[in-house]
Amino acid sequence: MFRTALRNVLAHKARLLMTVLAVMLGVAFVSGTLVFTETLSDAYRASSQKGYADVDVAIQPKSSDSGSGAPGADPRLDRKLLDKAAQVPGAASVTGTVTGFTAIADRKGKSIGDGLSTLGGNYFPGKDGKDARYPLRDGTAPHGAHEVALDARTADQAGYKVGDTVRLSVDGPVHEQKLTGVFTTDDGAVAAGGSLALFDTPTAQKLFAAPGTFSAIEVKAAPGTSQTALKTEIDAILPKGSAEAITGKQLADTQAEMTTERMKTIETGLLAFAGISLFVGVFIIANTFTMLVAQRTKELALLRAVGASRRQVTRSVLIEAFVVGAVAAVTGLVAGIGIGAGLRALTSTTGATVPDGPLVVSPSTVLVSLLVGIVVTMLAAWLPGRRAAKIPPVAAMNSVHATATTKSLVVRNTIGALFAGAGAAGVLAATGMKHGETMMGGGALLLLIGVFVLTPLLSRPLIALATPVLRAFGTPGTLARQNALRNPRRTATTASALMIGLTLITGLTVIASSVQKGQEKQITGAIKADYVVSMATGPLSPDVAKKLGGLDEVTASSAMRLSQARIGTGTESLTGVNGKDFGKLTRLDFTKGSLGELHGDRAVVDELTARENGWQPGSRIPVTFEDGTKAALTVSGVYQGNDMFGGVILDSATLAPHQKQTTDERVMVKTRDGATEATKDSLVTALGKNPAITVADKKDISESLSEKLNLMLNMLYGLLAMAVIVAVLGVINTLAMSVFERAPEIGMLRAIGLDRHGVKRMVRLESLVISLFGGVLGIGLGVFFGWAAGELIAVDFKHYELALPWGRMGLFFALAALVGVLAALWPARRAAKLNMLTAIKAE
């Protein structure tokens, strides 16, 4: 039986090709994901270890989150503590570090780097006048408030040389610094594509911390002193409750753990889409083996007649599946390694900050890929094999195919209806629940299974709707409809593969479009300001708000200033605003009370915070500000929070005296002429054409939201494209094998007058009908699931509003049609080339 199975595989190489491709793509997706995430994890771990190679113990501030101390006080480390650490037994050297966000402009005024990877720090020379962390390639170290050094990669990218003037920004105002040096570094952020600017220590302290203080103190152990021993010595000199010592190994391990967790999240998401592709591939495998078994009924019957048992017949089919799965798994693994390498290179070219590192192919990746390919193929082939073993030998020898009985169809349709009904009921019930995600997910799965079981029944009425159109194509159209309905199970299985992909694509699109519409309505509706000014990353200097408020064209402005305060036993966020102008700049939706005059001890609170604390208009809130001062605020109104406004909002004049460091999150501005290009250019110019500052009107905010959601959607489309490709292979495979199966019939049609063009048209129309059938089911289910998920989102997102993207859904339907057209090209050509006499004699 083993030799027979191998011969059958070799005898049907062409017909099994699409099955191999389908499994190979799924396995490639799995192995590529594992290779990609493991490679990134390894690179980040190596980078973090390199970054902490010269740090044996680090002293860091320890914020107080409990007790009666001031929340958010962020203790600083001073020179006195640094000198103490230098005198600790076992300490070879100490380095005081100061870091913060620094945007560097290139020669065209555009920011180099992106977000948190654009950093600034301090050059901390040792006794030899050099900082071992940053060897100078060119020039000298920075000295004084107007000098800076840049990492070599950033300097080369921007075309800066020693002596040039560099424009940069830390918290708003533009600084013009003289470039005195270019250095090399092993810093992980720089290695990952970020930028690093260095100032002398006093300048860095003024920019990023406070004069005389450090963000961290790094201690290197003397030879023969362990990190643990050094930490014990340092613990003895630390001020209690305000600083802590951490070994370099702990820092590296924590960073590695965070990296692993982050990669696990990415890996889980990618593997979910790989699972979808494999699930779609199951339909192709089942279809392929069902058709192969149907074409070999006489052969299997002969095996039974000469003594093979049912179990041996089933085993024979499973051996074939094992060989096919093994070939597909090995080729998929090789392709996946290539995909992993390609994704790694692609990530680097997109500007993402990813450290360099070797490609990692672990033994677990190889094992998982092989198991997935083989197990999925054998599971999908088991049912056709079992069905083949049940065919009576005499019936099979006489070519009496065991068609589905009325009883089996009734049972199938009843089961399908029960599953679909229970699933739909579960989904509908979950829409009104507070936490109905689990019920909705279970209901959606049951409904999807039910629709799949009912697909043969649904195929007849839905394909019948296309009859008037198909009649316009004459005899080929009529034959295409009859061929699609001849074996509804096969048609249903082929269409279901495409249906699953389009269901997910449509559902995600409906949800994303609705969320986008709700966010636009929520945020832009809450703002009356013409512009919102913010930094690319990090807070704004108060100088920005002062400069904007002093412009002639500005009629009202308000900075939004954040601070943490202790309220009761917890910590709440306070937002300071210009109480006089805040009402002119916003349109908050108040559920209780009103904004009124926001001054003195008056405050407004978002609905969620008020509900959690039991606050109402008139409630008195006991507050401990970050400087430890205690006071009480009076709630004047409760509003619906959103992504821009939340927490407790009060007048900045009340908040500012209690802040140790004053910074703004954003500044809202209303101008005399409204939002015009001329006004926007005027504001940008007034702020020194700062590369790190964004001046956005409502349209810009809306476009930014759309851009983020579209980017996310395009990524999801790219991931789901694999499932659609696998579905296309399924249509091709089904049609190709169907052409082989119907060779005598096609030969007879040719003999009685149907020309080659007519045969091609018949196969193409059949493919088109099957694909559009899958498209209709997929888009319909996707809209339903998108609506249901939206109802669940709307429980917490009050501004959520269903938006059906008709244009994109039309595009998806056109995509289904294109799938049908492309999938039929090769099978149609093959059918037209059949020799009619040879085809008539074929068995």
Side-chain angles (χ1 to χ4, degrees), residues 10 113 124 174 240 284 641 819:
L10 296 174
F124 193 88
V174 173
K240 292 184 179 180
I284 300 175
V819 165

Side-chain angles (χ1 to χ4, degrees), residues 72 76 170-173 206-210 538-546 559-563 576-577 626 651-667:
R76 299 287 179 175
V170 172
D171 58 0
K206 182 180 177 182
L207 292 173
F208 305 125
L540 281 165
S541 166
D543 293 340
V544 173
K546 289 179 183 177
M560 295 182 65
R561 189 167 296 167
L562 294 185
S563 176
V577 298
E626 65 177 58
D651 190 7
S652 288
T654 304
L655 179 64
H658 306 293
Q659 290 186 281
K660 290 189 176 182
Q661 188 174 6
T662 305
T663 56
D664 299 327
E665 289 299 306
R666 61 180 69 91
V667 180

Side-chain angles (χ1 to χ4, degrees), residues 360-374:
V360 178
V361 184
S362 66
S364 61
T365 296
V366 176
L367 183 62
V368 167
S369 300
L370 294 176
L371 283 177
V372 164
I374 294 171

Side-chain angles (χ1 to χ4, degrees), residues 276 280 496-506 720 723-724 727 778:
I276 293 168
V280 172
S496 294
L498 185 60
M499 175 191 77
I500 292 168
L502 287 178
T503 296
L504 293 170
I505 289 173
T506 305
L720 287 170
V724 175

Side-chain angles (χ1 to χ4, degrees), residues 101-186:
F101 168 76
T102 301
I104 304 168
D106 61 17
R107 292 186 178 277
K108 295 181 180 179
K110 294 184 178 180
S111 181
I112 301 172
D114 180 36
L116 296 174
S117 61
T118 55
L119 299 173
N122 66 312
Y123 188 90
F124 193 88
K127 293 179 181 179
D128 58 357
K130 299 178 181 179
D131 190 333
R133 300 172 300 167
Y134 310 114
L136 289 166
R137 189 189 73 179
D138 304 311
T140 60
H143 294 283
H146 302 291
E147 293 185 357
V148 69
L150 295 180
D151 69 272
R153 180 180 291 185
T154 300
D156 294 341
Q157 181 182 344
Y160 285 129
K161 295 180 180 178
V162 172
D164 289 345
T165 298
V166 179
R167 297 177 74 250
L168 52 85
S169 176
V170 172
D171 58 0
V174 173
H175 300 274
E176 293 192 345
Q177 311 280 110
K178 181 182 177 182
L179 181 63
T180 63
V182 176
F183 59 89
T184 58
T185 177
D186 289 332

Side-chain angles (χ1 to χ4, degrees), residues 774-791:
V776 168
L777 288 179
I779 293 172
L781 282 173
V783 170
F784 176 71
F785 289 144
W787 165 81
E791 290 296 303

